[in-house]
Short mmCIF file of all heavy atoms in Angstrom, two decimals:
data_model
loop_
_atom_site.label_atom_id
_atom_site.label_comp_id
_atom_site.label_asym_id
_atom_site.label_seq_id
_atom_site.Cartn_x
_atom_site.Cartn_y
_atom_site.Cartn_z
N TRP L 87 132.00 -62.09 49.01
CA TRP L 87 131.86 -60.94 49.85
C TRP L 87 131.17 -61.05 51.12
O TRP L 87 131.50 -60.52 52.14
CB TRP L 87 131.14 -59.78 48.98
CG TRP L 87 131.97 -59.22 47.85
CD1 TRP L 87 133.32 -59.21 47.79
CD2 TRP L 87 131.49 -58.62 46.61
NE1 TRP L 87 133.75 -58.61 46.55
CE2 TRP L 87 132.63 -58.27 45.87
CE3 TRP L 87 130.23 -58.37 46.08
CZ2 TRP L 87 132.51 -57.61 44.61
CZ3 TRP L 87 130.16 -57.81 44.86
CH2 TRP L 87 131.27 -57.43 44.15
N ARG L 90 133.57 -62.70 53.49
CA ARG L 90 134.57 -61.78 53.87
C ARG L 90 134.05 -60.73 54.95
O ARG L 90 134.76 -60.36 55.86
CB ARG L 90 135.14 -60.98 52.69
CG ARG L 90 136.17 -61.66 51.95
CD ARG L 90 137.21 -62.11 52.83
NE ARG L 90 138.01 -63.26 52.31
CZ ARG L 90 139.17 -63.11 51.84
NH1 ARG L 90 139.80 -61.96 51.72
NH2 ARG L 90 139.73 -64.24 51.41
N LEU L 91 132.82 -60.31 54.75
CA LEU L 91 132.24 -59.27 55.72
C LEU L 91 131.58 -59.88 56.91
O LEU L 91 131.12 -59.21 57.77
CB LEU L 91 131.20 -58.35 54.93
CG LEU L 91 131.80 -57.54 53.85
CD1 LEU L 91 130.64 -56.82 53.06
CD2 LEU L 91 132.72 -56.48 54.41
N ALA L 317 128.79 -51.96 51.52
CA ALA L 317 129.66 -52.13 50.38
C ALA L 317 130.61 -53.32 50.39
O ALA L 317 130.97 -53.77 51.50
CB ALA L 317 130.45 -50.80 50.30
N PRO L 318 130.94 -53.89 49.24
CA PRO L 318 131.80 -55.02 49.29
C PRO L 318 133.22 -54.64 49.83
O PRO L 318 133.56 -53.44 49.70
CB PRO L 318 131.92 -55.42 47.84
CG PRO L 318 130.82 -54.75 47.11
CD PRO L 318 130.51 -53.44 47.95
N PRO L 319 133.98 -55.60 50.40
CA PRO L 319 135.25 -55.20 50.81
C PRO L 319 136.18 -54.84 49.63
O PRO L 319 135.98 -55.38 48.57
CB PRO L 319 135.75 -56.57 51.43
CG PRO L 319 134.90 -57.68 50.79
CD PRO L 319 133.58 -56.95 50.52
N GLU L 320 137.09 -53.92 49.87
CA GLU L 320 137.85 -53.38 48.76
C GLU L 320 139.25 -54.02 48.72
O GLU L 320 139.96 -53.83 47.69
CB GLU L 320 138.05 -51.90 48.97
CG GLU L 320 136.85 -51.11 48.65
CD GLU L 320 136.97 -49.60 48.87
OE1 GLU L 320 138.04 -49.27 49.39
OE2 GLU L 320 136.00 -48.87 48.61
N ASP L 321 139.69 -54.70 49.69
CA ASP L 321 141.06 -55.16 49.76
C ASP L 321 141.31 -56.67 49.15
O ASP L 321 142.38 -57.15 49.34
CB ASP L 321 141.55 -55.07 51.13
CG ASP L 321 140.72 -55.83 52.07
OD1 ASP L 321 139.60 -56.30 51.65
OD2 ASP L 321 140.98 -56.02 53.25
N CYS L 322 140.30 -57.16 48.48
CA CYS L 322 140.48 -58.51 48.03
C CYS L 322 140.03 -58.84 46.69
O CYS L 322 139.69 -59.94 46.35
CB CYS L 322 139.80 -59.54 49.06
SG CYS L 322 138.08 -58.87 49.37
N GLU L 323 140.13 -57.80 45.81
CA GLU L 323 139.71 -57.99 44.38
C GLU L 323 140.55 -58.97 43.61
O GLU L 323 140.06 -59.70 42.83
CB GLU L 323 139.61 -56.55 43.68
CG GLU L 323 138.93 -56.75 42.40
CD GLU L 323 138.42 -55.48 41.74
OE1 GLU L 323 138.03 -54.60 42.48
OE2 GLU L 323 138.49 -55.34 40.47
N ASP L 324 141.86 -58.98 43.89
CA ASP L 324 142.76 -59.90 43.17
C ASP L 324 142.38 -61.36 43.54
O ASP L 324 142.32 -62.22 42.61
CB ASP L 324 144.20 -59.62 43.55
CG ASP L 324 144.68 -58.38 42.82
OD1 ASP L 324 143.96 -57.87 41.98
OD2 ASP L 324 145.80 -57.89 43.35
#
Side-chain angles (χ1 to χ4, degrees):
W87 287 333
R90 280 304 158 105
L91 293 173
E320 282 177 0
D321 54 352
C322 47
E323 188 160 325
D324 287 348

